Amino acid sequence: MKKGLKIVFILCLVLGLACTGLALYAGTHEERVSLIRENQAAIAKQEAAAQAAALLGREIEVDGAVEPMEITPGDQLVLNIYASYSLLLVAGIDLLIVGLAGLAGGAMKARRRSGGKSRVNPAGGILGILMALIVLCLDLALASEAFLRADNLLNVLQQISINFVIAIGMTFVIISGGIDLSVGSNIALSGLLMAIMMKTYNVNVGLTVALCILFSGLIGLVNGVMVAYLDLPPFIATLGMMSIARGAAYTVTGGQPVYTMPASFVAVSGRVAGIPLYAILIMAGVFFLGWYALRYTRVGRYTYAIGGNENCAKLSGINLGRTKCLVYTISGLCCGVAALLLTSRLDSAVPTNADGQEMDAIAAVVIGGTSMKGGEGSMIGTLIGIMIIGVISNGLNLLGVAQGPQRMVKGLIIVVAVIIDVVRRKAAEAAK
C-alpha cells in the first residue's frame, strides 16, 4: 500500500474514534441533557405566558415560578455535542469501517504480493460491496427508527422486485459489453398489452402473461439483431427502441391508463400473511436461473468471452451474433416478468410506467462490480447492488427527500461506481 493511502486510512481511524468517542460521551449524559432541555422549555413557556399577559394588560397567575438551572461550561459542551449525536455516531462508525477495511485490504494485498500472487478479484470486490451495504443499513438505522421495522423491510423487498428482475437481465447485457436503455419502455408497453388483453378481450390471465413475456423477449431480440447483425452501437440501437416502445405505449391506449385487473392477476403482487410471497418467489427463481446460466452454461461463458475481447471470442469459434441476440433476449424476457410484477402491484397500466427504470438497473449492476467495459461481473454482486439501490431509495423516502434529489444521488452513484471501476482496472493493468 502506498504511504499516502495508508496515512489516509489511519486518519480515518483516528477521526472515527474521535467522533464515536464524542457521541458516546454525550450519550452517557443523556439524563442531564433531558433535564436541562425540560428546564429551558419550561422557562421559555413561562416567559411566553408573561409576554402574552403584558400585551393583554393582565396579571399572570404564577403557580410556582421555574428557576433556571445552572449550566456549567461542561454542560454547554455536552449540549453542543448532543445536538449532533446521530451525525457524529454515523460518521464515526463509517470512518472506523473505512479505516479498518482499507488497512486490512492493504495487508492482504501485501501478503499476496509476498507470496508471488497478484490478481484482481473476478467477482468485482464482493466483500467491499457487501461491507458498503452493511454500513449503509447501519447509517439508515441510526437516522430513522422506522428503517429496521419488519414491515419496512418487507416493503423494501417488494419495492426492489421490479428492479431486481431487470438488473438480472441487464447483467448479461453489460458483461457482454453492451447496454439496454429500452427496459423501462419495454415494461410499460408489455404492461399495457397485458391490461388490454385481459380487460378488453377477456384473455385468460396465464395465457396473457405468457404471451406478453414472449413479446418483451421479442423486443429484446430485435435489439440484439440491430446490435449483432446491423452493427449498430448498443447505445443507439436501444435508445431508438426506447423511443419506439414508449411511443407505442402511448399509441395503443391514446395515452389513457387501464385500471382494475382480474383478482388472480393482482394477487401476484399481493401478500400472504403480510409477506409479498409470490414476488419473493419470482425474484428467487429469476436470480437462480440467471446465476446458473451465467456461471455454469455455455451462454454465460460466451457472454464473458465477448465482453472481455470480442476479436478473441470470434477467433475461438464463438458465434457472436447468436450470443448477442440471446443476451438481449434474456434482458427482454426479464422486462416481461418485471411488467407482470409492476402492473399487478399497481392494479393499473399507464404509458409512463417504469419511466427511468433503466437508470436504477444500470446503477445496481455497476455498483455490483460489473464493468461497463464488459467481461467482468457476477450475479452475486448484482444482487448486492440491487439491495444498495433499494435501501438508498427507501432511506431517502423515510427521510423525506424529494424525487429530484433522489435521482441526483443515483446518478452520482453511477458516476462514482464507474470511476472506481476505471481506477481498479488501471491498477490491475499496472500490477501485471
Side-chain angles (χ1 to χ4, degrees):
M1 182 187 295
K2 294 181 180 179
K3 186 176 180 180
L5 199 57
K6 189 173 183 179
I7 292 172
V8 169
F9 287 134
I10 292 173
L11 283 174
C12 286
L13 279 176
V14 173
L15 289 173
L17 286 171
C19 291
T20 307
L22 285 172
L24 294 176
Y25 173 74
T28 58
H29 293 75
E30 183 177 3
E31 187 176 345
R32 176 68 175 173
V33 170
S34 298
L35 288 174
I36 293 173
R37 287 181 173 177
E38 288 175 5
N39 179 257
Q40 291 175 339
I43 291 172
K45 184 178 179 180
Q46 184 175 280
E47 290 176 350
Q51 290 176 0
L55 287 172
L56 295 172
R58 298 176 181 173
E59 289 187 8
I60 184 171
E61 295 181 4
V62 180
D63 233 8
V66 179
E67 297 294 331
M69 291 178 63
E70 182 182 353
I71 300 177
T72 65
D75 290 335
Q76 190 61 53
L77 177 62
V78 170
L79 286 170
N80 292 336
I81 295 173
Y82 201 84
S84 305
Y85 175 79
S86 296
L87 179 62
L88 284 171
L89 189 58
V90 168
I93 293 173
D94 287 356
L95 287 168
L96 284 172
I97 291 174
V98 169
L100 289 171
L103 292 174
M108 290 173 66
K109 283 183 180 180
R111 175 180 288 184
R112 283 201 298 266
R113 284 173 185 167
S114 64
K117 299 178 182 179
S118 180
R119 63 184 181 88
V120 178
N121 184 354
I126 300 298
L127 186 59
I129 305 166
L130 181 60
M131 187 174 293
L133 175 60
I134 293 171
V135 171
L136 180 62
C137 291
L138 181 61
D139 289 351
L140 290 174
L142 292 171
S144 173
E145 294 180 358
F147 177 73
L148 289 180
R149 291 177 184 169
D151 57 343
N152 182 63
L153 295 178
L154 289 173
N155 285 337
V156 171
L157 278 178
Q158 192 156 30
Q159 287 164 5
I160 68 170
S161 60
I162 291 93
N163 192 38
F164 187 102
V165 175
I166 304 169
I168 297 300
M170 188 70 77
T171 302
F172 281 90
V173 174
I174 294 181
I175 288 177
S176 72
I179 196 167
D180 191 352
L181 300 177
S182 66
V183 292
S185 302
N186 191 340
I187 292 169
L189 180 57
S190 184
L192 280 167
L193 291 178
M194 285 183 189
I196 291 170
M197 289 174 68
M198 289 184 293
K199 289 280 291 182
T200 305
Y201 299 102
N202 295 317
V203 180
N204 176 269
V205 171
L207 180 61
T208 296
V209 170
L211 290 174
C212 289
I213 289 177
L214 289 175
F215 175 77
S216 290
L218 180 61
I219 292 177
L221 177 61
V222 173
N223 284 332
V225 169
M226 288 192 291
V227 171
Y229 296 107
L230 300 181
D231 289 328
L232 289 179
F235 181 87
I236 299 299
T238 58
L239 183 65
M241 182 57 74
M242 178 177 73
S243 297
I244 293 169
R246 185 69 69 178
Y250 277 96
T251 302
V252 292
T253 60
Q256 299 300 312
V258 182
Y259 296 105
T260 315
M261 308 298 158
S264 57
F265 180 78
V266 176
V268 172
S269 288
R271 296 199 174 197
V272 178
I275 300 172
L277 181 63
Y278 302 118
I280 292 174
L281 290 175
I282 289 172
M283 287 191 292
V286 171
F287 174 78
F288 175 77
L289 290 173
W291 171 79
Y292 185 84
L294 191 62
R295 188 176 179 88
Y296 294 108
T297 68
R298 187 179 299 174
V299 175
R301 292 194 295 272
Y302 287 179
T303 301
Y304 278 111
I306 292 173
N309 192 316
E310 191 168 310
N311 290 329
C312 288
K314 186 176 181 180
L315 292 173
S316 300
I318 296 175
N319 189 321
L320 301 184
R322 187 167 59 193
T323 304
K324 287 183 178 180
C325 286
L326 186 56
V327 163
Y328 281 94
T329 301
I330 290 171
S331 179
L333 292 171
C334 287
C335 290
V337 177
L340 163 65
L341 291 170
L342 180 61
T343 308
S344 62
R345 191 174 84 188
L346 298 177
D347 193 17
S348 65
V350 188
T352 56
N353 273 353
D355 185 27
Q357 193 70 55
E358 55 279 345
M359 285 289 291
D360 284 357
I362 293 170
V365 175
V366 174
I367 290 170
T370 300
S371 174
M372 289 295 290
K373 292 185 177 181
E376 184 181 338
S378 70
M379 282 298 170
I380 301 296
T382 295
L383 172 62
I384 300 173
I386 293 164
M387 294 301 297
I388 288 175
I389 290 293
V391 166
I392 287 174
S393 297
N394 179 260
L396 292 176
N397 286 332
L398 289 176
L399 297 175
V401 179
Q403 286 297 315
Q406 286 194 35
R407 289 201 170 195
M408 291 170 62
V409 169
K410 290 174 185 176
L412 181 62
I413 288 171
I414 293 176
V415 172
V416 171
V418 172
I419 290 172
I420 292 172
D421 175 56
V422 171
V423 171
R424 188 166 53 83
R425 278 182 169 264
K426 286 182 177 180
E429 290 171 2
K432 290 180 181 178

